[in-house]
Amino acid sequence: EATVISDATPNSSRRRSATFWTTLRSVALPKIIPTAGRDTELDYTVLRLRSRISIMQSRFQMGIIGHPIAHSVSPSMHQAAIRALDLKGYRYDPILVTPENLESFMEDLRGDEWLGVNVTIPHKEAILSYLDELDSDARHIGAVNLVLNKNGKLIGKNTDWRGFLQSLHEDGGLTDITRSMVILGAGGSARAIT
């Protein structure tokens, strides 16, 4: 989500963040569905063997972690927005992090090159114990889908519920969210919207 860039640098980037999100919706989203799953995932185990995370030659590293991760459309979406906005030095990668490697990856995430990561299955709940701080939404929900690195301090956030409500309103045309609904799933995203 654009919050990664918005919270990474001072006030002037808030405008860039809004532009980033607008670009995601207008430029990137229409193009990513046909390419979903085609990004090459980075296996954290291999990266760690190659001098920790130094293989990623960027000043501002972002990504999405999970296991599996090849199915995620986030990398295509974010890379398209980064290219459209001509953000030099920014990179967003899919990173395969197994549950066994989560603790080690979280240590590396404190590095200066990392702005943050999005989090998907199976780490949305397990990651809580490696964070220094949670926003009120993440604390209430008990799951995180976004981790920001602020000078080595890892802050967990949950934006799943906002995206879900926005989708209900904009895509589903629903204005009355007090009606009963069925939620299929029991993971971190399901926790965010129940």
Side-chain angles (χ1 to χ4, degrees):
E1 182 158 327
T3 311
V4 173
I5 289 180
S6 174
D7 286 354
T9 54
N11 295 333
S12 65
S13 71
R14 295 202 189 282
R15 284 188 300 277
R16 179 180 282 173
S17 174
T19 305
F20 185 83
W21 184 242
T22 301
T23 303
L24 278 178
R25 292 190 73 148
S26 63
V27 175
L29 288 175
K31 296 178 182 176
I32 61 166
I33 302 303
T35 62
R38 290 191 196 158
D39 284 322
T40 303
E41 64 188 36
L42 300 173
D43 185 328
Y44 177 68
T45 306
V46 173
L47 288 175
R48 191 153 178 83
L49 293 173
R50 292 184 186 168
S51 185
R52 298 177 73 82
I53 305 288
S54 64
I55 192 172
M56 299 176 201
Q57 301 291 318
S58 68
R59 273 189 17 215
F60 303 111
Q61 179 66 46
M62 300 173 286
I64 182 166
I65 64 169
H67 183 251
I69 196 64
H71 68 281
S72 177
V73 296
S74 287
S76 298
M77 181 173 63
H78 284 84
Q79 280 301 123
I82 288 167
R83 279 191 303 275
L85 292 170
D86 197 29
L87 296 175
K88 304 291 186 212
Y90 286 83
R91 185 177 172 99
Y92 189 101
D93 291 301
I95 305 166
L96 179 68
V97 176
T98 64
E100 300 79 30
N101 289 333
L102 182 59
E103 181 177 6
S104 180
F105 177 81
M106 295 305 290
E107 290 172 19
D108 286 340
L109 185 59
R110 294 178 188 277
D112 291 342
E113 70 277 11
W114 283 99
L115 296 179
V117 292
N118 292 106
V119 181
T120 191
I121 58 170
H123 304 309
K124 288 187 176 195
E125 296 169 55
I127 204 167
L128 295 173
S129 63
Y130 303 110
L131 302 174
D132 301 311
E133 185 180 312
L134 297 175
D135 74 0
S136 60
D137 293 332
R139 195 171 20 266
H140 174 75
I141 292 165
V144 165
N145 72 322
L146 175 63
V147 176
L148 300 176
N149 175 354
K150 288 203 173 188
N151 300 316
K153 182 178 181 181
L154 300 181
I155 302 166
K157 297 180 175 248
N158 192 303
T159 61
D160 281 335
W161 70 274
R162 287 189 192 120
F164 181 75
L165 286 180
Q166 183 176 350
S167 179
L168 283 179
H169 292 292
E170 293 178 10
D171 302 329
L174 295 176
T175 55
D176 179 13
I177 58 169
T178 60
R179 296 174 32 196
S180 294
M181 296 180 208
V182 174
I183 305 297
L184 300 176
S189 295
R191 289 180 65 122
I193 57 176
T194 56

